């Protein structure tokens, strides 16, 4: 926890140092999102001009969030700036967790081992106490370094408070990837499908990452099936799991896509 707290607090401090250069910068494109959000909040619909249904934005979920905040009286420009900053700090925490997971080979979202069971490494081996301590220290250190390096990037700091969706997109992608990795151990709970739907609703090119995750899921299912030779049950279970994952994604994305197609008449923004 000390390493995680240091990653979050250190990243926030570094981003605040960047703020003397970047905090008051707002991207020109952000004002497009702000206008759509304001019109939606004011009851005119998700339009640039009332009565004209033109999809001039490509960050649906971000616009929806800003519209909701404006509906409750928040200033849209300040909301975009400080929400982006806060999400950039959250992304630092996600970077710490994901890096720790990749270095240690253990998911931070994985439930703890049951009493009497030993935690196993990625190859199924039971690590020694010394190896387990050293490995976890390496993961924590790597996670801390990764989070601070992210916050130290001037480009990241610039877009963190520029009023657009990159910080939200980053947080959702990190969450989806960590859920995907967790599902390698618990394939019957495909919650990453929901996270990936939110990713695709934040930016349309997020669909590329959804496809990559789906391809990995198919490969992982094939590997598990081959490891369980002699029974049909794993095949049926893997097919069911993949259908559940697709269903979780479609449950959110399909209604959104149907709405935007009927509203704007385009398959892609």
């Amino acid at each position: 926890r000390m390493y995680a707290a240091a990653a979050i607090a250190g990243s926030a401090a570094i981003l605040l140092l960047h703020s003397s250069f970047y905090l008051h910068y707002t991207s020109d494109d952000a004002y497009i999102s702000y206008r759509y959000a304001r019109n939606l909040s004011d009851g005119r619909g998700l339009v640039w001009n009332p009565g004209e249904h033109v999809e001039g934005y490509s960050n649906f979920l971000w616009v929806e969030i800003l519209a909701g905040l404006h509906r409750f009286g928040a200033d849209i420009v300040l909301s975009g700036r400080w929400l982006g900053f806060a999400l950039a700090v959250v992304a630092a925490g996600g970077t710490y967790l994901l890096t720790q997971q990749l270095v240690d080979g253990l998911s931070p979202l994985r439930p703890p081992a049951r009493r009497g069971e030993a935690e196993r490494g990625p190859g199924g081996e039971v690590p020694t106490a010394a190896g387990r301590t050293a490995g976890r220290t390496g993961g924590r250190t790597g996670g801390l370094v990764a989070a601070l390096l992210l916050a130290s990037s001037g480009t990241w700091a610039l877009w963190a408070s520029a009023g657009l969706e990159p910080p939200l997109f980053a947080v959702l992608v990190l969450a989806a990837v960590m859920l995907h990795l967790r599902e390698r151990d618990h394939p019957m709970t495909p919650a990453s499908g929901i996270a990936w739907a939110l990713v695709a609703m934040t930016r349309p090119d997020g669909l590329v990452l959804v496809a990559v995750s789906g391809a990995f899921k198919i490969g992982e299912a094939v590997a598990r099936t081959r490891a369980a030779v002699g029974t049909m049950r794993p095949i049926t279970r893997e097919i069911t799991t993949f259908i559940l994952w697709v269903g979780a994604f479609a449950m959110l994305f399909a209604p959104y896509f149907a709405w935007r197609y009927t509203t704007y008449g385009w398959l892609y923004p």
Side-chain angles (χ1 to χ4, degrees):
R1 292 182 179 179
M2 180 182 68
Y3 282 84
I8 294 171
S11 297
I14 293 173
L15 288 171
L16 282 174
L17 290 175
H18 278 300
S19 68
S20 60
F21 297 99
Y22 303 126
L23 187 61
H24 297 291
Y25 168 74
T26 300
S27 170
D28 294 345
D29 288 346
Y31 287 97
I32 299 175
S33 300
Y34 293 164
R35 176 156 176 159
Y36 275 91
R38 185 189 64 192
N39 282 336
L40 177 61
S41 176
D42 292 343
R44 302 186 185 97
L46 206 50
V47 296
W48 177 261
N49 292 320
E52 298 179 4
H53 292 88
V54 177
E55 190 178 13
Y57 62 93
S58 59
N59 48 3
F60 170 79
L61 192 58
W62 180 247
V63 171
E64 290 286 315
I65 293 173
L66 292 178
L69 293 173
H70 183 62
R71 184 69 175 176
F72 286 102
D75 180 84
I76 288 185
V77 176
L78 292 179
S79 295
R81 179 179 301 160
W82 287 107
L83 179 59
F85 181 91
L87 287 170
V89 175
V90 174
T95 301
Y96 169 84
L97 290 174
L98 180 58
T99 304
Q100 181 188 25
Q101 175 179 357
L102 295 175
V103 172
D104 291 349
L106 297 173
S107 170
L109 301 178
R110 176 185 296 176
R114 291 190 293 268
R115 187 174 183 179
E117 292 183 350
E119 289 186 347
R120 297 180 179 273
E125 71 280 1
V126 178
T128 63
R132 184 162 51 242
T133 300
R136 286 182 175 177
T137 301
R140 292 166 182 167
T141 303
L144 175 60
V145 171
L148 296 181
L149 285 176
L150 174 64
S152 299
S153 167
T155 302
W156 172 247
L158 170 67
W159 291 106
S161 55
L164 287 170
E165 76 286 344
L168 174 63
F169 186 74
V171 168
L172 291 174
V173 169
L174 285 166
V177 170
M178 286 190 286
L179 287 170
H180 176 111
L181 294 176
R182 180 186 184 275
E183 289 162 7
R184 292 184 304 179
D185 303 310
H186 304 276
M188 290 301 290
T189 56
S192 66
I194 297 175
W196 284 123
L198 296 176
V199 167
M201 292 165 67
T202 302
R203 288 180 60 95
D205 48 359
L207 287 171
V208 175
L209 300 180
V210 177
V212 171
S213 179
F216 269 95
K217 281 194 169 293
I218 292 173
E220 292 160 3
V222 170
R224 285 191 295 264
T225 301
R226 287 180 176 177
V229 179
T231 175
M232 289 296 294
R233 182 181 177 187
I235 298 177
T236 303
R237 183 171 56 193
E238 296 296 345
I239 293 174
T240 301
T241 300
F242 188 75
I243 291 175
L244 288 174
W245 181 78
V246 173
F249 172 81
M251 179 177 63
L252 285 181
F253 189 78
Y256 155 72
F257 184 83
W259 167 82
R260 65 166 296 275
Y261 181 72
T262 56
T263 300
Y264 301 113
W266 294 93
L267 291 175
Y268 206 72

